[in-house]
Amino acid sequence: MKAVLNRNELILRIVLLGLGATAFMDLWAIAADALFGVPQSNFAVVGRWLGHMPEGVFTHDSIRKAAPVANEGALGWTAHYIVGVIFAALFVAVGGQRQLLQPGPVVPILFGLVTVVAPFFILQPALGAGIMAANKPNPDTARLKSLMSHFSFGLGLYVVAYGLSRLAPKGRLGSEDQIWPAE
């Protein structure tokens, strides 16, 4: 029988994976800003968008023109990291525990690139930027920035999974708490 992670190990690794891959993406953004002048994303606008949802407002012509909401920066950054953990859980659900125990670079990077669907077709239109940032002054630049961000998230999935697999290489065998079959 192959090694499988019990429920607690699996959940812990997924949370660490999502937080770590998101942090990797943010470090990439800091480096891109410092080296190439690519402005970092402003997650306060995400917080503003979320802050207007209880009022029944889900889309905006321009989120920057919407009224500010209390703690929008903290709300946006928290949502950013929660989404990273959700994406990590989807990654493991699709790729299986092998992605945590014996990670390779191709699958996580491809998965990271697929996650760009969320900003292209949900977030950007809801914030008033249009589908795939079509309403932005330089849509191709915005698209490339999104692709690079999500590529870095995928690379972060690999780097963090690899690190975790080396720190704690084996799951428990045949645990009754196992969730999702091992590959």
Side-chain angles (χ1 to χ4, degrees):
M1 175 183 284
K2 291 186 178 183
V4 293
L5 300 170
N6 73 33
R7 182 172 314 169
N8 292 338
E9 289 172 314
L10 182 61
I11 291 170
L12 177 61
R13 284 189 194 219
I14 288 170
V15 169
L16 292 174
L17 181 63
L19 295 176
T22 305
F24 190 93
M25 182 170 107
D26 292 337
L27 290 173
W28 179 291
I30 291 167
D33 188 7
L35 296 172
F36 308 111
V38 177
Q40 297 175 46
S41 296
N42 178 2
F43 291 103
V45 297
V46 174
R48 185 175 298 179
W49 174 57
L50 294 170
H52 283 282
M53 285 183 179
E55 303 162 3
V57 179
F58 298 96
T59 61
H60 299 267
D61 291 333
S62 171
I63 192 65
R64 296 190 190 285
K65 293 179 182 176
V69 299
N71 303 307
E72 62 188 29
L75 181 59
W77 277 98
T78 301
H80 173 57
Y81 275 83
I82 289 170
V83 168
V85 171
I86 291 168
F87 280 160
L90 289 171
F91 170 65
V92 174
V94 170
Q97 288 190 26
R98 179 184 182 283
Q99 300 304 323
L100 293 171
L101 298 170
Q102 298 172 319
V106 175
V107 173
I109 289 171
L110 289 175
F111 183 85
L113 287 170
V114 167
T115 65
V116 81
V117 167
F120 277 176
F121 296 102
I122 298 170
L123 187 62
Q124 291 169 354
L127 300 181
I131 293 173
M132 296 179 66
N135 298 343
K136 297 280 266 180
N138 297 305
D140 288 338
T141 302
R143 291 173 190 137
L144 181 59
K145 179 181 171 185
S146 293
L147 283 168
M148 292 306 298
S149 294
H150 287 260
F151 170 87
S152 69
F153 178 76
L155 184 59
L157 286 172
Y158 169 66
V159 168
V160 174
Y162 182 84
L164 290 172
S165 74
R166 295 304 174 258
L167 289 172
K170 302 227 188 252
R172 297 186 183 141
L173 295 177
S175 168
E176 64 187 14
D177 290 335
Q178 69 186 349
I179 186 170
W180 297 326
E183 297 177 293

